[in-house]
Amino acid sequence: MKRIIFLPAIAALLCGACSSAVPEDYTQYVDPYIGTGDHGHVFMGANVPFGFVQLGPTSIPQTWDWCSGYNYADTTVIGFGHTHLSGTGIGDLNDISLMPVVGKVTPGRGTAGDPSSGMWSRFSRADERCAPGYYATRLLRYGIGVELTASPRVGMSRYAFPASDDAGIVLDLENGQGWDRSTDCGITACSDRTVEGWRYSTGWADDQRVYFHAEFSKPFERIVFTGADTLSADGRSARGRKLYGRFGFRTEENERITVKVGLSAVSAENARRNMQAECPGWDFEAVREATRRAWNGELSKIRIETADPAVRRIFYTALYHTMIAPSLFCDVNGDYYGSDHAIHRNADFTNYTTFSLWDTYRALHPLFCLVQPKVNADVANSMLAHYDKSVEKMLPIWSFYGNETWCMIGYHSVSVLADMIVKEVPGFDYERAFEAMKTTAMNPHYDCLPEYDSLGWVPFDKEKESVSKTLEYAYDDYCIAQ
């Protein structure tokens, strides 16, 4: 017999106040490998619930089964990117990738049959460790140990180097994943410990913008840029579409160098502020423990009773996966990059992105009504902000990093919003949402909606997915009616 018990926050607090027992660690039941093989497309790496940062390894292949950048069938690594998709049928992101190296390497993705073709390395499963908020491996080519953890907007990497006069950390701004292609990138060394810049790209989303502020725990002795279209006179700033910066060190055996990277979609200055707010120090273990506690706090909202450890592992891994996306898309001061490709300042809600709504409206958002009402309310406000700034005056279809991708069919934001309204989730304007839902459903330019409106169905001679679209539209309109 299996039972699921929901623990509202207040009940959990009361129980905690009455008990001196050590709280259960639910992160121990999560198996991050589930979904990383075959067609699972699941993210592997370090992040916090709903975080902007997903810091993890990226492999050489860019084919469909590597949409997240990682697949269990492969043991190559080209770098550790700070953004990844998870569970999607599309490949994108892998922005701001770091790769620790030793000796002479060729910056680039390379090919698996030729080690000299790029800076990639293999790793062994025996050296790989993963848990919510933490990832570790060892790069066999270089003899470098890698550990990763994260806060919501900051990735922290710790590398254990061998003794070398030619150790380096390569900042790769060229290589995205799948459809992603860089369009403009910049790196500036502000000091011998601090680097800032940006990466603009096009892919699943047409106009993606990620800014970064990075700090090294040890001063770098030299910078070598590759792929620069322009280079400053002092050699400390470069710009280019296929840009790499290698930061050089001399290291002793097993010397650790830590790198912190703050992200923002607004500016490098905001990325710096995000780092100052979330990760001002260098205590890797403290950040890792804070991340574990964050995951445990979310996973403990549901307790299941079962005698089968496999069921427990599957359940909590699935619950863990529900909190990789949607992801934060705003800074600690509330600034965010909107769907109108403009910067919006000091928002009074938490802006989220990555709304794969055709995949998530059926189960994910109804679950959020039970265990993530605050996140769901901010999802609603994010959708309404998208609507306000949309040229087409439509709620999100499949919105991503300030862009509308128009992927899949239906307009399932209305289902998500209607569900929240009838369940009385607080935190957003119901009347404003209702008007946005109706306007979206009556858009005169979207995907055979005029024919559906006049006939009551989508005709096959106008659209090959006529049956599917008729059913999706009918369901969404039903939700509006409720």
Side-chain angles (χ1 to χ4, degrees):
M1 179 180 179
K2 305 173 185 69
R3 292 198 296 160
I4 298 177
I5 302 170
F6 292 94
L7 299 177
I10 188 65
L13 287 172
L14 289 173
C15 289
C18 299
S19 173
S20 61
V22 176
E24 188 170 3
D25 182 7
Y26 288 83
T27 64
Q28 67 181 306
Y29 306 129
V30 174
D31 181 357
Y33 285 115
I34 292 177
T36 61
D38 298 317
H39 312 314
H41 302 183
V42 165
F43 163 68
M44 170 62 79
N47 65 332
V48 301
F50 308 108
F52 189 169
V53 167
Q54 304 89 33
L55 175 54
T58 301
S59 303
I60 290 176
Q62 299 188 82
T63 54
W64 192 64
D65 280 339
W66 276 258
C67 282
S68 72
Y70 180 98
N71 189 289
Y72 191 80
D74 184 51
T75 58
T76 63
V77 180
I78 68 162
F80 300 90
H82 284 74
T83 63
H84 289 85
L85 289 169
S86 184
T88 64
I90 231 62
D92 208 323
L93 298 183
N94 188 42
D95 298 287
I96 323 303
S97 181
L98 296 177
M99 186 65 170
V101 300
V102 172
K104 184 179 179 180
V105 299
T106 302
R109 182 176 290 271
T111 57
D114 181 6
S116 66
S117 64
M119 57 188 177
W120 63 272
S121 172
R122 291 200 181 275
F123 67 93
S124 168
R125 294 281 173 220
D127 295 323
E128 192 175 42
R129 289 175 290 152
C130 47
Y134 177 75
Y135 177 85
T137 192
R138 181 173 177 80
L139 302 178
L140 299 178
R141 176 177 178 181
Y142 306 114
I144 298 174
V146 176
E147 293 180 281
L148 312 175
T149 192
S151 69
R153 300 170 180 86
V154 181
M156 183 176 268
S157 306
R158 184 166 67 181
Y159 307 127
F161 283 90
S164 175
D165 290 332
D166 195 17
I169 297 173
V170 179
L171 172 56
D172 173 4
L173 299 186
E174 177 187 14
N175 284 293
Q177 184 60 29
W179 285 253
D180 181 275
R181 297 292 180 269
S182 61
T183 56
D184 185 31
C185 308
I187 301 172
T188 296
C190 306
S191 72
D192 61 359
R193 288 178 180 264
T194 306
V195 179
E196 292 185 346
W198 71 90
R199 183 177 190 268
Y200 297 169
S201 62
T202 185
W204 190 229
D206 288 337
D207 184 8
Q208 298 173 42
R209 302 183 181 191
V210 179
Y211 297 87
F212 66 92
H213 173 90
E215 296 182 4
F216 297 81
S217 62
K218 177 179 179 175
F220 47 83
E221 299 178 1
R222 56 197 172 275
I223 312 169
V224 176
F225 291 112
T226 304
D229 296 327
T230 60
L231 186 66
S232 65
D234 63 3
R236 297 182 68 82
S237 183
R239 185 171 184 172
R241 189 170 59 86
K242 298 181 178 182
L243 186 60
Y244 299 80
R246 175 169 172 159
F247 303 89
F249 306 86
R250 282 177 285 192
T251 55
E252 298 178 356
E253 185 65 29
N254 204 37
E255 181 178 353
R256 288 177 169 179
I257 299 177
T258 302
V259 188
K260 299 184 295 184
V261 178
L263 299 187
S264 169
V266 173
S267 67
E269 173 62 20
N270 270 22
R272 182 183 65 81
R273 291 173 179 170
N274 291 339
M275 182 183 293
Q276 289 175 335
E278 294 182 359
C279 197
W282 291 99
D283 192 335
F284 183 95
E285 295 302 332
V287 175
R288 177 185 175 184
E289 174 58 21
T291 303
R292 188 198 64 80
R293 288 198 305 269
W295 276 111
N296 197 47
E298 296 298 337
L299 294 168
S300 65
K301 289 181 177 179
I302 304 178
R303 185 179 75 237
I304 68 169
E305 296 181 357
T306 176
D308 188 341
V311 169
R312 189 181 305 276
R313 180 171 60 95
I314 292 167
F315 179 85
Y316 284 104
T317 303
L319 187 59
Y320 162 77
H321 285 149
T322 68
M323 291 178 275
I324 296 176
S327 54
L328 282 173
F329 199 59
C330 62
D331 297 323
V332 292
N333 61 4
D335 294 353
Y336 71 94
Y337 177 66
S339 59
D340 54 355
H341 303 304
I343 304 303
H344 300 271
R345 304 290 182 182
N346 195 29
D348 59 0
F349 65 96
T350 300
N351 190 55
Y352 286 93
T353 190
T354 314
F355 296 133
S356 178
L357 289 159
W358 186 84
D359 305 291
T360 60
Y361 78 91
R362 301 170 181 85
L364 182 71
H365 292 284
L367 173 67
F368 286 177
C369 286
L370 294 172
V371 296
Q372 299 289 353
K374 176 63 169 64
V375 170
N376 233 14
D378 281 328
V379 164
N381 287 314
S382 301
M383 288 178 172
L384 292 174
H386 176 105
Y387 168 82
D388 289 341
K389 300 166 184 63
S390 165
V391 173
E392 284 288 340
K393 276 298 178 184
M394 288 194 74
L395 289 161
I397 304 300
W398 206 123
S399 63
F400 178 48
Y401 273 57
N403 293 258
E404 177 57 78
T405 69
W406 303 107
C407 183
M408 307 311 293
I409 60 177
Y411 32 90
H412 298 308
S413 291
V414 305
S415 167
V416 172
L417 292 170
D419 191 44
M420 283 190 263
I421 291 171
V422 299
K423 292 173 181 173
E424 300 182 353
V425 173
F428 68 102
D429 187 331
Y430 290 4
E431 291 300 329
R432 179 181 168 214
F434 185 45
E435 289 303 314
M437 292 155 67
K438 290 187 293 182
T439 303
T440 296
M442 295 184 287
N443 185 284
H445 307 119
Y446 179 69
D447 233 3
C448 289
L449 272 185
E451 289 83 358
Y452 172 76
D453 183 50
S454 62
L455 298 172
W457 67 85
V458 176
F460 179 74
D461 61 346
K462 295 286 186 179
E463 174 53 61
K464 65 179 181 180
E465 294 177 315
S466 59
V467 175
S468 294
K469 290 186 177 179
T470 297
L471 291 172
E472 302 275 1
Y473 296 162
Y475 172 73
D476 286 333
D477 290 351
Y478 162 82
C479 293
I480 298 174
Q482 302 311 301

